[in-house]
């Protein structure tokens, strides 16, 4: 047969056929997810060696061994391995050690000395692929390793944060498990607290997302139009307020757009983190975010006179230090544009992060036994330092009773 006689490809797509196509993709995604997570269908938290626990608590290994075997102590002894000299500690054990032994300031949630008011932090960026969700999860994990109790709230219908928290978004979560019922009815019984779920990671809870969260983008403007007294931008903030007494940090992960839910998150937050990949398109996208947010925010000023962010932090992420990288140029642009907002910590690009993302994991999920220790530390330590910086901003306020 002459090649010119081959039948052409019909590239026309009927709108009515998209449902069948989406269903086929959903089946494929479930199969891939099972393959990626095999042989562990659910995520498990890492364990910690004495050396790692020593770094977390700021005390030497000999003292840990002494305290672990001392009679009458409430500290978890861990599990002995090999000859009995090596000890392995679970995540829960490690957090207990940090809370009781380290010199890290512990909040009233641990000490029980007075009422507590947790802080709300949001990660936001217009551009997909900016490490926004991974950064959200890493911040939550990093803060929990300092003894903090953390709540993650997934506001992105793509539900990537929910996946990182160990949930199969399409299998384990329905729209009723998300913030959406509260958006529909702020007077619902139990409020947002009734939507909180525990995760595989001790000290870190989640309110997951579902693709039906898109419905909030229709409900909120409709409610605003039909009720002159309705404030669409404050719904989430009012729902979060009671949860502040239960958590040290509430971290909001948003969709890569200036949606109604993202605006709710921005108006609920005390502080903001913008991960920025140092490439030209990412930088231009970040500039667009601030331009549009400023334009929208001008309409809120008369209603939100006292709205002040404790800090706005731009974090360079997935930084390529190779000779042909655009990072030096974009870094200089970012320094000029953001000034003190640009944090000195940078998160380097690494195959560890790429492989972790493939398995729905972060650098905090990996142990030294699973990868090269130096390679892991190169990516993990900057994030540990960044989490400490965030925590230090609020420890000062908590010490002052704020």
């Amino acid at each position: 047969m002459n090649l010119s006689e081959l039948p052409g490809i019909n590239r026309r797509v009927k709108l009515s056929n998209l449902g069948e196509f989406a269903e086929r993709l959903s089946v494929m995604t479930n199969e891939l997810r099972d393959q990626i997570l095999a042989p562990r269908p659910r995520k498990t938290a890492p364990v910690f060696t004495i050396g790692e626990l020593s770094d977390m608590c700021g005390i030497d290994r000999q003292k840990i061994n002494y305290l672990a075997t001392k009679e009458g102590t409430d500290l978890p002894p861990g599990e002995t391995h090999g000859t009995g000299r090596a000890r392995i500690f679970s995540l829960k054990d490690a957090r207990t050690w940090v809370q009781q032994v380290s010199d890290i300031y512990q909040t009233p949630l641990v000490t029980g000395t007075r009422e507590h008011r947790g802080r709300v932090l949001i990660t936001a960026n217009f551009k997909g692929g900016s490490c926004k969700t991974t950064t959200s999860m890493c911040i939550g994990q990093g803060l929990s390793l300092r003894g903090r109790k953390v709540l993650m709230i997934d506001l992105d219908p793509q539900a990537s944060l929910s996946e990182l928290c160990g949930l199969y978004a399409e299998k384990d979560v329905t729209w009723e498990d998300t913030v959406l019922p509260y958006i529909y009815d702020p007077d619902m019984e139990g409020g947002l607290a009734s939507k909180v779920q525990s995760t595989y990671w001790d000290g870190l809870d989640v309110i997951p997302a579902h693709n039906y969260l898109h419905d909030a983008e229709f409900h909120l403007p409709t409610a605003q139009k039909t009720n002159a007294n309705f404030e669409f931008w404050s719904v989430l903030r009012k729902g979060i307020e009671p949860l502040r007494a239960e958590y040290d940090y509430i971290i909001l992960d948003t969709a890569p757009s200036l949606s109604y839910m993202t605006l709710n998150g921005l108006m609920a937050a005390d502080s903001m983190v913008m991960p920025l990949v140092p490439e030209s398109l990412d930088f231009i996208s970040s500039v667009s975010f601030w331009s549009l947010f400023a334009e929208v925010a001008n309409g809120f000023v008369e209603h939100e006179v006292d709205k002040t962010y404790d800090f706005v932090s731009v974090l360079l992420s997935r930084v390529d230090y190779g000779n042909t990288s655009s990072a030096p140029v974009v870094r200089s642009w970012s320094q000029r544009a953001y000034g003190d907002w640009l944090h000195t910590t940078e998160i380097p690009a690494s195959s560890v992060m790429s492989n972790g993302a493939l398995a729905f994991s972060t650098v905090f999920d990996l142990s030294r036994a699973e990868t090269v220790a130096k390679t892991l530390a190169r990516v993990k330590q900057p994030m540990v330092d960044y989490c400490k910086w965030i925590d230090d901003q609020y420890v000062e306020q908590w010490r002052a009773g704020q």
Side-chain angles (χ1 to χ4, degrees), residues 93-321:
D93 290 347
R95 281 176 28 83
T96 299
W97 274 80
V98 169
Q99 291 170 343
Q100 295 189 21
V101 175
S102 77
D103 61 359
I104 297 174
Y105 171 83
Q106 295 304 312
T107 72
L109 286 185
V110 174
T111 63
T113 52
R114 54 180 168 80
E115 292 184 357
H116 183 58
R117 179 175 170 78
R119 299 305 194 260
V120 181
L121 183 147
I122 188 171
T123 56
N125 197 311
F126 260 1
K127 194 173 183 301
S130 63
C131 304
K132 176 180 59 60
T133 298
T134 303
T135 300
S136 297
M137 187 65 178
C138 283
I139 290 174
Q141 291 172 309
L143 290 170
S144 77
L145 292 176
R146 296 180 61 78
R148 309 303 181 217
K149 187 177 180 183
V150 180
L151 172 64
M152 313 294 296
I153 301 183
D154 194 349
L155 300 177
D156 186 352
Q158 296 181 81
S160 297
L161 179 65
S162 303
E163 297 273 0
L164 284 177
C165 286
L167 297 174
Y168 288 176
E170 295 181 8
K171 288 185 176 181
D172 298 339
V173 181
T174 71
W175 73 270
E176 294 178 318
D177 299 318
T178 72
V179 300
L180 193 56
Y182 178 83
I183 298 298
Y184 286 152
D185 179 16
D187 296 322
M188 62 173 282
E189 184 178 355
L192 284 181
S194 65
K195 304 304 175 185
V196 173
Q197 299 186 30
S198 59
T199 72
Y200 74 102
W201 190 278
D202 184 71
L204 190 146
D205 295 338
V206 66
I207 298 180
H210 186 274
N211 57 16
Y212 280 15
L213 267 181
H214 279 300
D215 287 4
E217 303 306 311
F218 301 97
H219 172 77
L220 289 171
T222 300
Q224 185 68 57
K225 186 176 181 180
T226 56
N227 182 356
N229 295 320
F230 185 71
E231 296 180 343
F232 76 84
W233 61 89
S234 66
V235 176
L236 189 62
R237 178 175 58 199
K238 293 174 182 176
I240 286 175
E241 191 61 32
L243 293 172
R244 287 178 180 266
E246 306 297 326
Y247 293 92
D248 294 308
Y249 291 99
I250 299 171
I251 299 176
L252 312 178
D253 187 57
T254 60
S257 64
L258 202 60
S259 64
Y260 282 93
M261 287 303 293
T262 298
L263 287 172
N264 260 267
L266 288 166
M267 300 312 291
D270 299 313
S271 51
M272 189 189 317
V273 172
M274 173 180 276
L276 175 60
V277 178
E279 296 181 1
S280 56
L281 290 179
D282 292 76
F283 175 78
I284 297 301
S285 177
S286 76
V287 173
S288 298
F289 171 87
W290 293 110
S291 298
L292 287 174
F293 181 41
E295 184 177 334
V296 174
N298 284 336
F300 295 152
V301 170
E302 62 180 284
H303 304 283
E304 303 288 338
V305 177
D306 296 326
K307 179 64 182 177
T308 302
Y309 292 107
D310 293 323
F311 63 82
V312 174
S313 177
V314 178
L315 177 68
L316 292 186
S317 302
R318 205 193 299 152
V319 181
D320 181 0
Y321 295 102

Side-chain angles (χ1 to χ4, degrees), residues 118 151 169 215 223 241 268-269 278 304 320 333 341 365 367 371 379 383 386 394:
L151 172 64
D215 287 4
E241 191 61 32
E304 303 288 338
D320 181 0
W333 295 349
W341 287 9
D365 288 310
S367 66
T371 186
V379 182
M383 187 55 74
Y386 188 65
Y394 286 119

